[in-house]
Amino acid sequence: MTDSARPAVPGEPQAAEQLQAYLASALTGLAAEAREQIFEISDVVAASCREHGIDLYEPRKITDPVHHPDVPDTEVFRLDRQRVVRSDLLVYLADQPSTGAGQELVFATEAMLPIIVVARSGLKVSRMVTGMPGSVQMVRYQGPDGLGKDLNSVLAELRPALLRRRSVLREYRAPGLGPRIRELRESRRMSYEDLVRAVRIPGFLSADQIRRWEEGGDLDNNLSILVLRELAAALGVGAAELLP
């Protein structure tokens, strides 16, 4: 069913606005056969997402350590984190262990992102994954054909929740906290480096990170309470004064 043929859903974006999903999986240090298996399942996931008006971002096409080894480590972290928090859904392929995918799962839970865990039937999945808080669904598969069918069912059921989440979080895509940090910093005539030095935990921040926070939207920044408290202390205000 196409977007134009679907019944209207309260809070649903316009038909031209696609939902976004992020595919998390192992990529580093895999044998050729394991990579081929992951790519085969990735193609099934991408096809199912297309069926439901979801554009799937696959890091293997942008930051794969085999095909894109020249992308700097810091840029891989920044880009992949940004793509996770800007997505509406994360799909995790759990057949191969991955520290990178573990990072992406943390980004997703912090951003209140629904997660679909895909794993072969009978495979034990870490309890650090199955025990994550929030909306986490497990999809087991024996072969690609069965996986596509089961994913289509899960995505159809999940779509209204994805649309509702996007509608609720739309306001946080714009800068709110960032301009407030800049305003307080400049009113105190502090440079980025001055603010870095004022933070009580050494080595925690960089001038470039503060600049990115000041320029970024709240959804991209998604700063924790701990970070907000430390920034507030460095600026000499209460944490509540950072919030727009």
Side-chain angles (χ1 to χ4, degrees):
M1 181 182 295
T2 64
D3 276 355
S4 59
R6 284 193 188 93
V9 176
E12 180 170 354
Q14 297 298 314
E17 184 180 2
Q18 274 195 311
L19 290 168
Q20 306 290 320
Y22 185 99
L23 185 70
S25 72
L27 288 175
T28 301
L30 294 179
E33 182 179 357
R35 285 175 62 86
E36 289 177 5
Q37 291 173 348
I38 284 178
F39 294 168
E40 180 182 21
I41 298 305
S42 298
D43 290 341
V44 174
V45 174
S48 292
C49 286
R50 284 194 298 271
E51 286 283 325
H52 296 272
I54 300 173
D55 181 34
L56 182 70
Y57 176 80
E58 301 178 67
R60 65 174 171 130
K61 298 180 178 179
I62 307 294
T63 56
D64 186 339
V66 174
H67 298 298
H68 311 96
D70 295 331
V71 181
D73 296 358
T74 54
E75 182 63 11
V76 172
F77 180 92
R78 186 197 67 80
L79 177 60
D80 287 356
R81 180 191 178 279
Q82 183 183 76
R83 294 304 297 242
V84 171
V85 300
R86 289 184 180 182
S87 294
D88 304 292
L89 169 71
L90 183 137
V91 181
Y92 169 49
L93 307 187
D95 290 348
Q96 299 286 340
S98 168
T99 54
Q103 281 271 57
E104 291 157 351
L105 288 168
V106 172
F107 299 153
T109 56
E110 289 176 346
M112 303 175 70
L113 204 64
I115 296 169
I116 296 176
V117 179
V118 176
R120 293 192 310 272
S121 297
L123 179 74
K124 292 195 69 173
V125 177
S126 170
R127 289 176 293 178
M128 286 294 289
V129 174
T130 59
M132 289 185 301
S135 176
V136 181
Q137 297 194 46
M138 178 75 72
V139 176
R140 296 283 189 175
Y141 74 94
Q142 291 183 331
D145 292 341
L147 172 59
K149 180 180 178 181
D150 290 343
L151 265 179
N152 282 336
S153 177
V154 170
L155 290 172
E157 181 180 343
L158 195 57
R159 183 180 172 84
L162 301 182
L163 293 169
R164 179 181 294 275
R165 176 187 175 278
R166 169 169 280 208
S167 178
V168 169
L169 297 186
R170 191 186 306 272
E171 63 185 280
Y172 301 130
R173 293 179 179 270
L177 176 65
R180 180 60 176 153
I181 294 173
R182 179 187 290 115
E183 176 188 357
L184 289 167
R185 178 179 61 79
E186 291 180 346
S187 71
R188 286 151 176 75
R189 298 184 179 180
M190 298 175 73
S191 67
Y192 294 127
E193 290 76 12
D194 290 334
L195 184 52
V196 168
R197 287 190 289 269
V199 173
R200 298 176 297 182
I201 303 176
F204 174 68
L205 294 182
S206 68
D208 185 62
Q209 180 62 75
I210 294 173
R211 178 186 62 78
R212 289 185 185 278
W213 284 342
E214 289 186 353
E215 296 174 355
D218 288 353
L219 185 62
D220 283 347
N221 291 337
N222 197 27
L223 302 186
S224 68
I225 293 175
L226 178 62
V227 173
L228 288 174
R229 286 185 178 276
E230 282 306 303
L231 281 174
L235 290 165
V237 298
E241 294 183 62
L242 289 181
L243 301 177

